Amino acid sequence: MCDLTDESSQQSVNGEQSKRSHVSRRQLLRGLGTVGTAVFTSLSGCLFGGNDEESSPSVFASQQGRITQEQATHVVTTARGLRNAVSTPNAVVWIPNNTVIDISGEFGVEIARNVMIASNRDLAHPGGMLESNAYINGHFTTKETGNGFIRISGIRLKGPRTDVFDPRKKPKPASAYYSAGFRLAPKKVLIDNCEVVGWTNAGFLLGSKQVQTTSWLHHNQMHHNRMHTLGYPFELYNGTALIEWNYFNANRHSITAFGSPTSGYEARFNLVGSDAVHHAFDMHALCENRDAMMCGSTGRDLAGKFCNIHHNVFLLTHRSAFSIQGYSVKPSQFVSNWCAEQKGGSDTGDPEGVVYFPDYAAVTVRDNRYGKEAVAAGQEWLSNAAQKVAASAPGQSVNPPADDQSNGNTTAQKHDPATFPATTDPLTGTTLTTVDIAAGRYRRI
């Protein structure tokens, strides 16, 4: 396990601040301008867990590159103060620890360019909370210009419902039950060290029809977003994302993407809990979201740009770890993961199996380990990897996933958060290749 009290941590468990890792606001802005470089490149990741998954879930904690109250341009404790602060370009907005701001009455509040909203959520502090009890499908939004960045760091974002329900069976139209925290379509988004819970649509909607947003989501705890038909911590509407060192549980889908030819993601080093409404990681077929009547009409449905899923632990046994509902523009892969479910779902009756995809999709599935014994080894591997990253020197480059995976390198090789052996360490990933799929509408593994 990692020690959060070492001098390289920006904030130790007793709240004392280390000057060594203090980051100026100018450095913060410079780093966000190229999400994943400068001060945000050294991820201090620690895996903690208890015997009871629900009361003491395993989580990752990152202590480097954190925003502090001293760097804030605005300190807010009310919805009105928050509304005014986020309208200021280049603002660093701080929500004090344990402060709860009711955003139920906020609808479509526009966030200015290059704004950061932060609190001090970590293993010792719950952080500030933005809470809504309303069905509002976008409390905060940005202009769809594709410029600038937004960072949300160290806060709790709580929506109106954590239960499982089907809006189609309610008296009002299904859309009357949609709730979303942030609709963000700048050039770049960074979401780190947050808790996201209770959203019937999604905590974050990333990108828009006109804008491809590049996102980086790390060291978050995202759970109990469970409404049928939607129910996500976040949705990749348009653009690419790097998703790492997160804990997911009890979501309809823990990762989902819209299915456009410009939407794709790399998911690595994540821990997925045992509860799920449907499969954990997802890529929709574009036709499902644009015109469901067209699905299957050509025999080949488009489903995103790529999915690169590796070195994750999946504790669920009754739902698939990954499902893609069509073919991706670039080959997709599910490799080197640890899955509690056995191949084919034979022990639980899961109709889809661990991985589910159409027979015409170019999906590589290999080097995964299956069964309850495998996930224990996977959690140990993640813990050791987190310590290795935490001990690495700062200044390593961590960029969001590359668009082109055809040059013999996976995105893991090109965007590793620390210095690892080039060919022997599994963190470097493997070459993407297509596989021959047996005849049939779908293949389950």
Side-chain angles (χ1 to χ4, degrees):
M1 297 299 178
C2 303
D3 181 5
L4 288 184
T5 62
D6 69 89
E7 291 185 333
S8 64
S9 297
Q10 182 199 340
Q11 191 171 45
S12 67
V13 293
N14 63 6
E16 294 298 323
Q17 303 205 347
S18 169
K19 295 181 179 179
R20 177 175 299 186
S21 60
H22 182 79
V23 182
S24 70
R25 182 171 177 272
R26 178 175 296 179
Q27 286 175 300
L28 288 170
L29 295 174
R30 185 186 304 122
L32 257 287
T34 54
V35 173
T37 61
V39 301
F40 303 108
T41 57
S42 183
L43 298 182
S44 176
C46 306
L47 179 64
F48 292 81
N51 295 325
D52 183 348
E53 181 189 342
E54 293 303 320
S55 63
S56 181
S58 297
V59 296
F60 296 103
S62 175
Q63 293 300 103
Q64 297 184 8
R66 298 296 300 271
I67 300 171
T68 66
Q69 184 169 349
E70 289 72 21
Q71 295 156 347
T73 60
H74 301 72
V75 177
V76 300
T77 57
T78 66
R80 180 179 180 180
L82 177 63
R83 187 189 324 125
N84 293 336
V86 300
S87 68
T88 306
N90 303 309
V92 179
V93 182
W94 183 263
I95 304 171
N97 185 48
N98 283 315
T99 297
V100 178
I101 298 178
D102 186 352
I103 59 172
S104 300
E106 307 301 314
F107 174 73
V109 175
E110 187 173 302
I111 304 175
R113 182 172 175 172
N114 301 344
V115 167
M116 292 182 277
I117 303 172
S119 189
N120 64 333
R121 181 179 179 274
D122 58 20
L123 295 176
H125 308 90
M129 176 187 289
L130 302 182
E131 181 176 20
S132 172
N133 296 309
Y135 296 117
I136 292 178
N137 203 23
H139 288 282
F140 296 89
T141 187
T142 59
K143 289 183 177 180
E144 296 184 21
T145 61
N147 296 318
F149 65 85
I150 298 294
R151 182 181 181 184
I152 313 295
S153 178
I155 70 167
R156 290 173 288 161
L157 184 65
K158 186 176 185 297
R161 296 187 69 158
T162 59
D163 61 325
V164 180
F165 74 100
D166 191 334
R168 297 166 297 186
K169 298 180 180 179
K170 296 293 183 179
K172 297 179 181 179
S175 59
Y177 299 92
Y178 293 176
S179 63
F182 290 81
R183 290 180 171 270
L184 303 176
K187 185 176 182 180
K188 298 178 186 293
V189 167
L190 173 57
I191 301 168
D192 65 282
N193 295 282
C194 294
E195 181 179 19
V196 182
V197 56
W199 296 97
T200 57
N201 183 353
F204 298 94
L205 299 167
L206 303 173
S208 69
K209 187 175 181 179
Q210 294 78 24
V211 176
Q212 298 177 38
T213 296
T214 300
S215 306
W216 184 20
L217 301 96
H218 68 83
H219 293 91
N220 300 290
Q221 186 176 3
M222 299 180 167
H223 60 97
H224 291 89
N225 304 280
R226 302 199 287 178
M227 186 185 78
H228 282 291
T229 71
L230 297 171
Y232 322 121
F234 59 91
E235 179 176 13
L236 306 176
Y237 186 82
N238 194 2
T240 56
L242 175 61
I243 305 160
E244 60 182 353
W245 301 113
N246 301 288
Y247 172 76
F248 299 108
N249 194 39
N251 301 301
R252 180 170 171 268
H253 299 317
S254 290
I255 297 175
T256 192
F258 193 77
S260 64
T262 51
S263 61
Y265 62 86
E266 176 178 3
R268 62 183 187 182
F269 317 145
N270 300 290
L271 178 63
V272 181
S274 60
D275 190 10
V277 178
H278 215 303
H279 50 269
F281 292 179
D282 169 78
M283 175 65 79
H284 285 296
L286 183 60
C287 61
E288 293 179 282
N289 291 314
R290 292 283 171 84
D291 185 358
M293 296 297 293
M294 294 298 294
C295 287
S297 61
T298 64
R300 287 170 55 88
D301 298 326
L302 174 67
K305 191 169 189 177
F306 68 90
C307 297
N308 183 8
I309 301 169
H310 63 95
H311 298 96
N312 303 280
V313 174
F314 296 91
L315 300 180
L316 69 169
T317 58
H318 64 296
R319 294 294 186 182
S320 298
F322 171 54
S323 178
I324 181 170
Q325 281 79 63
Y327 73 93
S328 52
V329 175
K330 300 289 184 180
S332 290
Q333 71 167 0
F334 185 89
V335 302
S336 301
N337 299 286
W338 297 268
C339 309
E341 183 176 1
Q342 294 286 355
K343 280 189 176 183
S346 57
D347 60 337
T348 61
D350 176 13
E352 295 185 352
V354 180
V355 183
Y356 192 59
F357 56 91
D359 60 353
Y360 54 80
V363 180
T364 297
V365 182
R366 65 162 182 262
D367 300 330
N368 302 292
R369 295 177 61 184
Y370 303 92
K372 295 182 179 179
E373 294 77 14
V375 296
Q379 287 178 281
E380 182 179 1
W381 188 95
L382 281 182
S383 180
N384 292 334
Q387 293 182 60
K388 195 169 187 179
V389 174
S392 66
Q396 304 295 328
S397 177
V398 183
N399 295 312
D403 295 337
D404 186 3
Q405 300 186 61
S406 61
N407 63 353
N409 294 318
T410 66
T411 55
Q413 287 174 300
K414 290 182 283 188
H415 308 296
D416 205 75
T419 302
F420 294 100
T423 58
T424 59
D425 194 290
L427 282 172
T428 58
T430 53
T431 302
L432 282 169
T433 57
T434 58
V435 293
D436 294 326
I437 304 301
R441 179 73 180 99
Y442 277 86
R443 180 179 175 87
R444 72 174 190 174
I445 293 176

